[in-house]
Amino acid sequence: MELPVIFVASGVLLPGASLKIPVKSKLNVRTIEKVLSRGVVANNYVAIAYKVSSEKVYEVATIAYVEKLFGWTLNNSTQYSLDVVGLHRANIEKLTIPTCTVSKIVDPKEVNMEPREKLITGAKSLASNSTSSSFSNEIHNLIDEQEYGKLADLCVSQMKSLGFMQHLEFLGTKTVEQRVELCEKWMTDIGDNNNTLQLKVPNSLALANGNQQKKLNKRKIPNAKTQVELLEEKLDAIEFSDEVSDRVFSELQRLKNMNAQQSEYNVLVNWLELVAALPWSTSTVDDIEINKSRAILSDSHEAMHDVKQRVLEHLAVCKMNNSVKGMILCFTGPPGIGKTSIAKAIAQSMGRKFHRVSLGGIRDESDIRGHRRTYVAAMPGRIIEALKQCKSNNPVLLLDEIDKLYSGNQGSPSAALLELLDPEQNSTFHDHYLNMPFDVSKIMFITTANDIEKLEPALRDRLEIIEMSGYSLNEKLKICENHLLSRQLSKHCISPDYVNLDRTAMVTMIEEYTMEAGVRQLERNVGAICRHVALRLAEALNSDPGADVLPEMELPIEISDADVHKILKVKAMKRVRIVEKMRPLLPGVCFGLSVTTNGGRVMPIEASKSKGTGKIVTTGHLGKVLNESILVAKGWLSANAERLGVKTFEENDIHVHLPAGAINKDGPSAGSGLACALVSLATGVPLRSDAAVTGEISLTGHVLPIGGVKEKVLAAQREGLRRVVLPKSNEEEYSKMDLNIRQEMDVVLADTIEEVIGAMMENSPVLAKL
Ligand SMILES: Nc1ncnc2c1ncn2[C@@H]1O[C@H](COP(=O)(O)OP(=O)(O)OP(=O)(O)O)[C@@H](O)[C@H]1O
């Protein structure tokens, strides 16, 4: 049989025993990378071969089963750790690295063997000295079944005082008889030397001693004792760095010397439990294949081609670099557009674990870094807690809503994030509770934010920002058909054959019952439809509980747009179309466009005049920049009044109002809209009621670029407007938009205020004077 071969120079794996092999040599690492880590962690068999000198390999090997394979990188080199269980002895026939051909050494049946008293007594003594109940059970089973060869194997694997060569000698024995003899000999030797096995003690005395021991055990506080022992076992199995190891084991020693009644006892136990539960050296092996990643991303997400492309580029760099150090993605955009779900897809395509840490509303630095152990009810921070749950030190960690961190009295959480996300510092991330450095540099951090402007500049500087914008109607339809519907149907346990959701019904659901850039409300609406269908199905089933088929019901249940109105009218608020409410437009009213954290929206601008002295009144919670834009628009109009043949507002007071008065509004992009509203007010000519405008203006009449082009155009489309006037300088962003939207919308690119007014007014005498 041909098996991958792992070389070991100390420690022998006997059949029935298990062994943890830290794989450090290049030869073994290469074997693992070539053969073992190809997508499989367990279900692998290997031959463990023993190096007796630098050139010589012992002729007998162990065929072993790989229970676990861990991989991690240290100083740019990959290391592994194998957990193996011994199965058989085997002769090495041919050694061709990375594999070798071996033939099993088959033991003759053990049934005819006379009971071996010496072996049995020694084994029982070993069992009674052992703390592991599974080991003593196994010993007793083997004694009962008279499997003396296996019993000898198990006993010898526990004789820690034997050397490497002695263990090899034992492995090389060809018959059960030889094995048992050797084992008995060593049991006696050990008994002579240090009494470990206590073989010399007469049976009756040993029994009495055993009883005494049991009584003593009863008197101990069993839980407290076992807890510390278990902790020690767990800690022993972890590979710590020297610095951490010194600290952990000195604390363990302190715990052992402590009285369980002391108040610090539990604090120390909890701390050590955390240390033992953290993945200090446990990582998953990255499995990045660009084609596979591309397929995962496109299967799980509709549209967002630019974002997927950026993500693939990012994954390619991770693959080439074999590291994710210093690459922190930040998905930004309105809610419900798939920021969280694309991060999940990234983790899936890398073969890493995924964990989401929600940072919304955090005010306290200790939420991230933990509390010092001296505080009552101290806890580790969210990062260490996440690592504990992931059980791997290289997960994809999603730091959700980093724009919603606030600074409180207890320090600034953003400052703690700075250290966490700094590639130079995060290999020694310091959690106050853990109070030891933990290497978080292998974690792939992904962050999300609705409003990137709210981030601290230093934090923003660390992030690679990927802007995501809302979806058009067609994109939402595709998402609904291919993802949301099937997800909601399976959530409500409804077969897709039972419902048919009409396309017009979906359009109604999107246009009339949602007003969002993403698809979260849409998913909720689909959920409401599914609940309605579930109710109808359940009612039909109730009428005849024993029926296999649904009685008197035509399947699939057709859901038309009329049904959508019926179902959602009671459950969801029908959206108010502000544009329709304002039509027909009066002179002085203009549709502007703005971007909020919920996506783009159409923002009406209203201007009216009354007799007065040229004063300007503004209402609607306008910010400083917006107020200044009004002055700029008025200034431009006054300067050009003569040319346009309009009166300036010297004998009038002007009132400018932006509805939805409770919402703060600011920013320069309303400049073009304000200029249009004032020109319309001055001339008495209403603006087009199917058009919206956005753009900053200068006093001399130039139209300057703005942000959020896609969001604004999509908002206009959602509101049923046909024309959008954009600054010419934003042409590039506009040209990157979906072809369908560009064909559907009539977008005018303007460089000057005159061009804007030309596009916003039709058939007006003013146009001739421009
Ligand atoms: N392009 C898409 N294709 C398929 N499903 C999508 C797409 N975009 C969003 N979804 C689905 O919409 C739902 C909401 O997405 P998600 O929770 O990722 O939004 P988010 O951007 O993280 O929102 P928030 O900012 O509120 O956290 C999810 O169920 C997601 O699968």
Side-chain angles (χ1 to χ4, degrees):
M1 140 182 17
E2 196 176 334
L3 290 175
V5 59
I6 297 289
F7 293 99
V8 170
S10 65
V12 174
L13 178 66
L14 293 173
S18 54
L19 192 66
K20 194 177 189 72
I21 308 176
V23 180
K24 288 179 185 152
S25 78
K26 278 190 187 152
L27 201 63
N28 285 341
V29 168
R30 224 175 296 141
T31 306
I32 286 188
E33 285 177 349
K34 272 198 181 156
V35 193
L36 286 180
S37 63
R38 294 253 157 252
V40 222
V41 174
N43 286 338
N44 268 316
Y45 296 95
V46 288
I48 308 289
Y50 304 93
K51 276 194 151 181
V52 275
S53 68
S54 55
E55 281 110 48
K56 199 164 171 255
V57 174
Y58 194 61
E59 70 266 18
V60 180
T62 316
I63 300 178
Y65 171 74
V66 179
E67 271 201 323
K68 270 185 205 153
L69 168 65
F70 297 118
W72 70 95
T73 44
L74 188 69
N75 298 336
N76 284 342
S77 73
T78 313
Q79 297 188 1
Y80 296 91
S81 161
L82 272 181
D83 283 2
V84 285
V85 180
L87 299 177
H88 295 284
R89 290 175 168 79
N91 282 322
I92 299 180
E93 316 247 287
K94 198 166 142 211
L95 200 56
T96 47
I97 296 160
T99 57
C100 72
T101 313
V102 290
S103 66
K104 250 194 239 175
I105 298 176
V106 183
D107 291 329
K109 285 227 165 203
E110 300 185 19
V111 277
N112 298 329
M113 211 170 198
E114 289 290 306
R116 306 294 299 236
E117 282 311 322
K118 225 176 183 177
L119 176 69
I120 293 172
T121 331
K124 281 185 177 165
S125 160
L126 262 181
S128 66
N129 284 341
S130 164
T131 50
S132 153
S133 58
S134 63
F135 173 75
S136 37
N137 287 344
E138 184 66 22
I139 292 263
H140 286 113
N141 284 345
L142 292 174
I143 295 173
D144 291 347
E145 284 160 23
Q146 299 188 341
E147 296 213 24
Y148 298 124
K150 286 186 185 163
L151 186 61
D153 280 349
L154 200 57
C155 291
V156 172
S157 70
Q158 290 298 310
M159 294 182 189
K160 305 286 184 232
S161 56
L162 297 181
F164 181 51
M165 290 314 290
Q166 280 173 301
H167 271 123
L168 278 186
E169 183 192 348
F170 184 77
L171 182 78
T173 49
K174 297 282 186 280
T175 64
V176 176
E177 193 65 45
Q178 277 176 345
R179 237 164 268 159
V180 172
E181 270 169 21
L182 210 51
C183 177
E184 286 176 341
K185 177 176 169 284
W186 284 334
M187 280 175 160
T188 324
D189 289 352
I190 293 169
D192 281 342
N193 288 341
N194 57 11
N195 239 4
T196 328
L197 294 171
Q198 298 173 351
L199 291 181
K200 296 284 159 134
V201 182
N203 272 355
S204 55
L205 206 59
L207 243 159
N209 274 348
N211 288 342
Q212 186 131 9
Q213 190 63 32
K214 272 183 200 155
K215 273 185 201 159
L216 277 176
N217 279 346
K218 270 190 193 164
R219 266 187 239 146
K220 276 188 232 156
I221 312 161
N223 280 345
K225 180 75 178 146
T226 6
Q227 194 176 23
V228 177
E229 277 170 2
L230 281 174
L231 250 176
E232 187 167 10
E233 237 171 64
K234 282 192 223 162
L235 292 170
D236 275 340
I238 299 173
E239 288 180 39
F240 295 111
S241 68
D242 292 347
E243 183 191 348
V244 174
S245 171
D246 289 349
R247 182 74 207 289
V248 171
F249 287 102
S250 74
E251 292 287 34
L252 183 69
Q253 198 50 47
R254 211 155 68 81
L255 181 76
K256 282 181 182 170
N257 299 335
M258 215 179 256
N259 186 334
Q261 312 303 322
Q262 263 174 275
S263 62
E264 211 199 326
Y265 186 87
N266 275 335
V267 175
L268 203 49
V269 168
N270 288 344
W271 184 80
L272 284 166
E273 291 279 7
L274 173 75
V275 172
L278 282 178
W280 293 91
S281 53
T282 317
S283 326
T284 49
V285 180
D286 278 354
D287 173 26
I288 307 176
E289 274 183 39
I290 297 299
N291 281 340
K292 188 186 89 185
S293 309
R294 185 175 282 125
I296 290 177
L297 290 176
S298 56
D299 284 354
S300 58
H301 288 84
E302 215 61 53
M304 52 162 90
H305 304 291
D306 287 357
V307 176
K308 286 185 208 163
Q309 188 61 25
R310 284 282 297 274
V311 168
L312 284 177
E313 286 166 10
H314 189 78
L315 289 179
V317 177
C318 295
K319 186 179 168 78
M320 307 298 278
N321 253 355
N322 209 6
S323 148
V324 293
K325 211 169 174 175
M327 294 186 279
I328 300 150
L329 295 180
C330 175
F331 293 118
T332 155
I337 51 166
K339 298 185 290 295
T340 311
S341 59
I342 196 125
K344 268 189 208 161
I346 293 178
Q348 192 191 347
S349 63
M350 291 180 85
R352 289 190 176 201
K353 297 206 173 154
F354 175 80
H355 193 90
R356 174 172 165 268
V357 179
S358 177
L359 300 179
I362 285 188
R363 304 184 165 270
D364 197 341
E365 191 200 352
S366 55
D367 271 314
I368 295 189
R369 275 183 199 274
H371 301 266
R372 286 186 201 287
R373 225 186 329 152
T374 42
Y375 284 88
V376 177
M379 280 192 311
R382 294 191 186 200
I383 307 302
I384 290 294
E385 196 57 54
L387 284 167
K388 181 180 147 193
Q389 285 178 27
C390 284
K391 297 191 173 71
S392 134
N393 64 10
N394 63 344
V396 171
L397 205 62
L398 180 73
L399 304 176
D400 217 358
E401 325 259 17
I402 49 163
D403 53 335
K404 299 191 182 62
L405 291 173
Y406 303 100
S407 287
N409 300 337
Q410 312 288 326
S412 149
S414 306
L417 271 193
L418 280 182
E419 185 199 336
L420 180 72
L421 301 181
D422 184 352
E424 302 305 319
Q425 295 182 45
N426 66 6
S427 55
T428 54
F429 174 68
H430 209 93
D431 181 278
H432 290 322
Y433 181 80
L434 192 62
N435 204 12
M436 290 190 296
F438 193 97
D439 182 1
V440 293
S441 63
K442 284 176 234 150
I443 300 179
M444 179 170 192
F445 290 104
I446 298 182
T447 58
T448 74
N450 291 128
D451 187 358
I452 203 73
E453 298 301 322
K454 288 197 184 142
L455 290 191
E456 273 189 23
L459 186 54
R460 195 164 49 190
D461 193 43
R462 301 235 190 291
L463 308 175
E464 202 181 317
I465 291 162
I466 299 186
E467 280 180 24
M468 294 171 70
S469 40
Y471 297 115
S472 64
L473 177 65
N474 276 335
E475 287 170 341
K476 283 186 184 177
L477 277 173
K478 275 193 203 150
I479 296 174
C480 185
E481 273 171 349
N482 301 338
H483 300 272
L484 306 185
L485 185 59
S486 50
R487 201 175 319 150
Q488 287 298 324
L489 284 174
S490 72
K491 201 168 153 192
H492 291 84
C493 303
I494 302 170
S495 155
D497 306 336
Y498 287 1
V499 206
N500 189 15
L501 189 59
D502 208 328
R503 205 177 162 87
T504 52
M506 284 190 212
V507 174
T508 310
M509 218 155 43
I510 296 167
E511 291 209 313
E512 313 241 345
Y513 292 92
T514 66
M515 208 178 121
E516 56 179 356
V519 289
R520 193 165 279 135
Q521 179 61 36
L522 177 61
E523 185 162 11
R524 251 179 253 136
N525 290 350
V526 176
I529 303 277
C530 290
R531 284 198 297 279
H532 170 84
V533 172
L535 179 65
R536 279 176 63 186
L537 289 171
E539 274 171 354
L541 278 173
N542 273 352
S543 62
D544 184 2
D548 288 334
V549 274
L550 300 172
E552 291 168 25
M553 176 171 258
E554 264 190 34
L555 289 175
I557 298 174
E558 299 284 346
I559 303 284
S560 65
D561 53 343
D563 295 319
V564 169
H565 284 303
K566 249 190 271 160
I567 300 164
L568 295 185
K569 203 168 54 192
V570 265
K571 298 193 171 99
M573 198 177 70
K574 198 170 172 187
R575 139 183 166 195
V576 183
R577 280 182 186 261
I578 190 145
V579 168
E580 270 165 28
K581 273 206 170 296
M582 306 211 75
R583 277 178 184 152
L585 292 192
L586 298 174
V589 181
C590 173
F591 290 132
L593 293 166
S594 68
V595 181
T596 67
T597 47
N598 291 328
R601 54 187 282 270
V602 172
M603 178 180 66
I605 299 169
E606 295 175 319
S608 68
K609 60 180 178 182
S610 55
K611 264 210 166 352
T613 54
K615 264 194 304 182
I616 301 176
V617 181
T618 62
T619 50
H621 250 273
L622 311 189
K624 200 170 160 215
V625 181
L626 228 166
N627 272 311
E628 284 180 357
S629 296
I630 297 173
L631 295 182
V632 175
K634 186 167 176 264
W636 176 83
L637 184 64
S638 306
N640 293 278
E642 210 172 304
R643 182 162 66 90
L644 298 177
V646 293
K647 278 193 194 157
T648 51
F649 299 109
E650 268 149 25
E651 288 156 22
N652 299 105
D653 287 345
I654 311 173
H655 186 161
V656 178
H657 176 66
L658 272 62
I663 302 169
N664 284 340
K665 302 168 199 82
D666 206 0
S669 68
S672 302
L674 289 163
C676 289
L678 293 186
V679 170
S680 160
L681 185 69
T683 56
V685 180
L687 295 164
R688 282 176 65 136
S689 58
D690 64 345
V693 60
T694 178
E696 182 177 352
I697 51 167
S698 73
L699 197 55
T700 47
H702 295 289
V703 178
L704 307 174
I706 42 88
V709 171
K710 187 175 173 196
E711 292 300 335
K712 288 177 175 175
V713 177
L714 287 178
Q717 187 216 26
R718 275 202 296 277
E719 288 287 352
L721 298 177
R722 223 181 60 75
R723 173 171 283 190
V724 174
V725 184
L726 296 175
K728 184 131 178 53
S729 348
N730 283 109
E731 188 169 5
E732 202 184 321
E733 282 121 298
Y734 166 67
S735 64
K736 282 188 193 152
M737 280 183 69
D738 203 31
L739 185 65
N740 285 340
I741 302 176
R742 283 189 283 141
Q743 282 172 347
E744 192 181 320
M745 300 299 287
D746 168 20
V747 172
V748 179
L749 298 163
D751 237 349
T752 58
I753 300 185
E754 283 88 345
E755 285 170 21
V756 171
I757 296 169
M760 291 294 288
M761 272 184 181
E762 246 173 3
N763 309 324
S764 147
V766 188
L767 292 176
K769 295 175 191 159
L770 288 174

